[in-house]
């Protein structure tokens, strides 16, 4: 009898998605290290390109779901909120939280890069400046006009095709408010969208079964072409200082979470383990958007709050990325010995605060904003090449932190709404 119980426990353990993802990460890392060590560089590169296709398949499956999920849940959420007053109240709380969290994240990055000074006296040899071309080319198009164009959709079809979350959010808010104002006339449409959102959430369960395979491909692909030992040795001061900053941000977020959610915070963290690991392994907070929606609803946050808060959060509340932006910008300034007084640094912080909003869908968004900010403050943009080799590993921690920040914001606002 005991043996059969043990067998059931083992089966249920390995059937757990989190356990599967952790096993996939370990196997992926070991395979990548083996390939890097025993195969020539060209073969390792070919292997990396092919194995990363597994991660690409998983991320594309998730991206396939995001646009219909954001549109249906947000419209239904706003229609259920009932009126512009309720939308304004929750939206006000959301934006207040987002901007406060962003400002504190930027301050933490600024504090630690000034305290630990990882870029001072750093001499990095063999840095390939041409690797920065991809980012600097995108930076050249980074203007006020393009910023506005990136936020306001000219076509909802185009916005959905490109997975521009913020553009979809803006269209959905207008659509939802219009539906709410029409009352019973729009009810059949709202009901149909509500049922559609449940179908899409069911699709999430199927797609998440591919998560361990995607994480395995992403981790194996990176470890196959990067000598992690050499990288961390060369960038030990930068990466170590960055981890101190991220750890400080986590401590701050967790303390705030316990203040507002009290004992419920432990329940929330258990639900977040799987989304956090997926975000960490794939370096994509977008990859866990549907899963996070599901987990927060099961945690007890009303679906109308989750569907309103999360899409906004993915556009305005990227705490890990914000902390990294000040850290990376000032690190490059230190390397090139560009003096920046406190007033200039605070100005840079405010510039980052504004320019970073709504660029979540841009590939390497953090680096594009860092490069644009460096250009504004006469810091050599090619300095981006200094951090590119280790950016993937920093991105793992940034993505997981973004997920934690958004889950926390949604949960706290959800609790406020319950009490009001």
């Amino acid at each position: 009898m005991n043996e059969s119980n043990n067998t059931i426990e083992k089966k249920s353990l390995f059937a757990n998605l989190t356990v599967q993802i952790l096993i996939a990460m370990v196997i992926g890392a070991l395979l990548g290290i083996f390939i890097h060590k025993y195969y020539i560089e060209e073969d390792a590169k070919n292997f990396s390109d092919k194995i990363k296709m597994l991660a690409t398949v998983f991320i594309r499956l998730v991206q396939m779901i995001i646009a219909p999920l954001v549109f249906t849940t947000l419209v239904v959420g706003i229609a259920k909120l009932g009126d512009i007053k309720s939308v304004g109240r929750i939206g006000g709380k959301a934006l207040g939280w987002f901007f406060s969290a962003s400002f504190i994240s930027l301050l933490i990055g600024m504090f630690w890069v000034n305290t630990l000074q990882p870029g001072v006296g750093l001499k990095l040899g063999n840095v390939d400046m041409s690797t920065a071309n991809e980012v600097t080319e995108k930076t050249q198009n980074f203007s006020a006009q393009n910023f506005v164009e990136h936020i306001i959709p000219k076509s909802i079809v185009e916005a959905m095709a490109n997975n521009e979350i913020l553009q979809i959010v803006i269209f959905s808010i207008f659509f939802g408010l219009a539906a709410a104002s029409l009352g019973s006339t729009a009810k059949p449409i709202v009901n149909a969208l509500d049922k559609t959102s449940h179908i899409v959430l069911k699709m999430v369960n199927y797609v998440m079964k591919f998560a361990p395979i995607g994480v395995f491909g992403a981790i194996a692909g990176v470890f196959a072409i990067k000598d992690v030992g050499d990288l961390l040795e060369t960038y030990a001061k930068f990466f170590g200082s960055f981890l101190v900053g991220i750890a400080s941000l986590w401590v701050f977020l967790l303390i705030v979470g316990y203040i507002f959610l009290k004992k419920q915070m432990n329940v929330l963290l258990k639900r977040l383990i799987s989304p956090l690991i997926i975000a960490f392994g794939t370096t994509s907070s977008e990859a866990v958007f549907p899963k996070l929606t599901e987990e927060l609803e099961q945690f007890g946050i009303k679906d109308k709050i989750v569907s309103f808060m999360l899409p906004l959060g993915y556009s305005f509340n990227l705490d890990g990325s914000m902390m990294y932006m000040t850290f990376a910008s000032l690190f490059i300034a230190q390397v090139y010995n560009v003096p920046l007084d406190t007033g200039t640094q605070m100005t840079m912080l405010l510039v980052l605060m504004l320019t970073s909003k709504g660029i979540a869908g841009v590939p390497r968004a953090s680096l594009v904003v860092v490069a644009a900010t460096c250009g504004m403050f006469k810091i050599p943009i090619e300095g981006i090449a200094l951090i590119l080799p280790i950016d993937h590993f920093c991105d793992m921690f940034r993505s997981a932190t973004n997920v934690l920040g958004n889950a926390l914001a949604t949960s706290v606002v959800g609790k406020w709404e319950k009490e009001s």
Side-chain angles (χ1 to χ4, degrees):
M1 186 72 181
N2 287 341
E3 280 182 23
S4 63
N5 283 344
N6 287 339
T7 308
I8 290 167
E9 280 177 23
K10 283 178 186 174
K11 278 182 183 175
S12 63
L13 180 67
F14 287 106
N16 184 291
L17 182 65
T18 305
V19 174
Q20 290 174 2
I21 292 166
L22 286 170
I23 292 169
M25 284 179 76
V26 172
I27 296 171
L30 292 173
L31 178 61
I33 292 166
F34 176 81
I35 296 291
H36 182 77
K37 194 171 181 181
Y38 293 106
Y39 285 75
I40 61 172
E41 190 177 335
E42 189 181 341
D43 288 345
K45 179 77 171 64
N46 288 335
F47 169 82
S48 177
D49 290 341
K50 287 182 171 62
I51 202 79
K52 276 183 182 174
M53 287 169 65
L54 295 175
T56 304
V57 167
F58 170 64
I59 290 172
R60 287 180 76 92
L61 281 170
V62 175
Q63 288 172 331
M64 168 184 79
I65 295 170
I66 288 174
L69 183 64
V70 170
F71 175 68
T72 55
T73 55
L74 189 49
V75 169
V76 171
I78 291 171
K80 283 181 180 177
L81 288 174
D83 55 25
I84 293 175
K85 192 177 174 184
S86 298
V87 174
R89 186 184 70 248
I90 298 169
K93 288 176 182 175
L95 292 176
W97 179 283
F98 295 160
F99 278 95
S100 301
S102 294
F103 187 71
I104 291 165
S105 302
L106 288 164
L107 274 178
I108 288 172
M110 188 175 119
F111 172 78
W112 283 114
V113 79
N114 281 303
T115 303
L116 301 173
Q117 299 194 320
V120 174
L122 195 66
K123 296 285 184 287
L124 294 174
N126 304 320
V127 173
D128 182 8
M129 292 299 174
S130 64
T131 56
N133 287 345
E134 181 193 344
V135 176
T136 52
E137 280 169 17
K138 287 176 188 166
T139 307
Q140 288 164 7
N141 299 322
F142 196 88
S143 64
Q145 183 180 340
N146 287 330
F147 178 65
V148 171
E149 287 174 356
H150 187 75
I151 291 174
I152 309 296
K154 65 178 179 182
S155 161
I156 184 58
V157 177
E158 182 186 51
M160 285 186 163
N162 295 325
N163 261 355
E164 294 279 5
I165 292 181
L166 187 54
Q167 292 186 6
I168 298 168
V169 165
I170 286 172
F171 178 84
S172 302
I173 288 171
F174 278 103
F175 194 100
L177 288 172
S181 68
L182 289 171
S184 58
T185 309
K187 210 168 183 183
I189 298 292
V190 173
N191 288 338
L193 289 174
D194 192 15
K195 288 180 172 62
T196 305
S197 71
H198 283 96
I199 293 169
V200 176
L201 282 169
K202 187 66 180 172
M203 288 172 67
V204 172
N205 293 325
Y206 303 144
V207 169
M208 281 301 135
K209 293 186 186 301
F210 291 89
I213 298 168
V215 170
F216 165 77
I219 297 288
V222 172
F223 277 73
I225 56 172
K226 290 188 186 288
D227 191 321
V228 181
D230 288 351
L231 265 181
L232 295 183
E233 189 179 330
T234 307
Y235 289 92
K237 203 174 175 186
F238 172 79
F239 194 57
S241 302
F242 166 73
L243 289 182
V244 169
I246 280 289
S248 304
L249 182 52
W250 270 67
V251 169
F252 168 76
L253 289 172
L254 291 174
I255 289 171
V256 171
Y258 277 106
I259 289 170
F260 285 104
L261 300 175
K262 299 183 171 58
K263 290 179 182 177
Q264 281 185 300
M265 186 65 187
N266 292 328
V267 181
L268 178 63
L269 286 174
K270 284 176 185 173
R271 291 208 163 273
L272 291 181
I273 291 172
S274 178
L276 286 170
I277 293 172
I278 294 170
F280 183 84
T282 60
T283 67
S284 172
S285 47
E286 209 177 52
V288 296
F289 182 94
K291 178 71 174 170
L292 195 55
T293 301
E294 189 179 50
E295 291 292 352
L296 288 171
E297 286 182 5
Q298 288 178 5
F299 173 64
I301 308 299
K302 288 180 182 175
D303 56 354
K304 62 184 181 183
I305 304 292
V306 175
S307 60
F308 185 75
M309 285 289 298
L310 264 194
L312 281 180
Y314 266 67
S315 299
F316 290 106
N317 189 45
L318 302 171
D319 298 334
S321 298
M322 300 301 284
M323 178 263 153
Y324 183 75
M325 285 175 199
T326 40
F327 188 90
S329 302
L330 294 173
F331 168 79
I332 294 167
Q334 287 174 1
V335 171
Y336 285 96
N337 201 24
V338 178
L340 297 169
D341 58 32
T342 306
T344 308
Q345 289 190 29
M346 289 303 293
T347 306
M348 179 188 280
L349 187 147
L350 292 172
V351 167
L352 284 166
M353 182 92 147
L354 294 171
T355 54
S356 62
K357 300 308 175 194
I359 54 125
V362 177
R364 295 205 168 192
S366 299
L367 290 178
V368 173
V369 175
V370 168
T373 307
C374 286
M376 287 180 209
F377 290 86
K378 304 294 184 281
I379 302 165
I381 294 178
E382 61 271 16
I384 288 291
L386 299 172
I387 56 177
L388 270 175
I390 204 167
D391 183 67
H392 183 93
F393 299 100
C394 294
D395 204 8
M396 289 174 149
F397 292 91
R398 292 199 303 262
S399 300
T401 308
N402 292 340
V403 169
L404 176 67
N406 278 317
L408 194 55
T410 305
S411 301
V412 171
V413 172
K415 185 174 185 290
W416 284 341
E417 283 301 302
K418 267 185 191 175
E419 292 172 355
S420 61

